[in-house]
Amino acid sequence: MSIVKINVLTVPEEQRETLEKRFAARAGAVEGSDGFEWFELLRPVDGTDRYLVYTRWRTEEDFQKWMSGRGQAAHGGGAGGAGEGGDRPKPAATDATLWTFEVVQSTGPKED
């Protein structure tokens, strides 16, 4: 069964637009990765400053492979993570926590 990774990002109000633009700019960075199944960036609406970055993977190994390769670059840890002149842009989030879940049950809309 799949695994879900939820990155919980604490983002001050003045950094929300920056965070969303950065995710939009790297759209497609994960979609072609082996074992990748789903991505969603969830914006808070109920008075919290926490965004959720939801990804679903076929296996933990697929996620780890992505993190050690393209994921590392996408998160500023490798080539392509720096801004002009090699300077990395200031992070939009002030804190991040990664949660991991196994999918034990899943359903979708009924088809007629």
Side-chain angles (χ1 to χ4, degrees):
M1 196 53 84
S2 301
I3 64 149
V4 168
K5 298 290 183 171
I6 299 175
N7 197 358
V8 183
L9 304 175
T10 302
V11 182
E13 178 127 11
E14 66 274 9
Q15 290 293 327
R16 286 180 169 197
E17 185 177 347
T18 299
L19 179 87
E20 292 178 20
K21 284 181 178 178
R22 287 180 184 170
F23 270 93
R26 65 182 195 204
V30 69
E31 286 89 331
S33 300
D34 190 40
F36 170 79
E37 296 178 352
W38 200 261
F39 163 86
E40 290 179 317
L41 175 61
L42 306 176
R43 178 191 299 140
V45 294
D46 288 333
T48 183
D49 59 356
R50 293 192 176 124
Y51 276 73
L52 301 181
V53 182
Y54 172 101
T55 56
R56 190 174 69 212
W57 298 85
R58 179 179 52 209
T59 66
E60 176 69 26
E61 292 74 25
D62 290 325
F63 172 75
Q64 292 301 329
K65 218 181 329 180
W66 177 76
M67 278 300 295
S68 66
R70 285 193 275 173
Q72 188 175 29
H75 288 91
E84 275 187 47
D87 295 328
R88 288 183 54 200
K90 178 184 172 203
T94 60
D95 188 40
T97 302
L98 185 63
W99 296 340
T100 301
F101 298 88
E102 285 184 313
V103 176
V104 293
Q105 187 174 354
S106 183
T107 190
K110 284 186 174 184
E111 293 185 27
D112 293 331

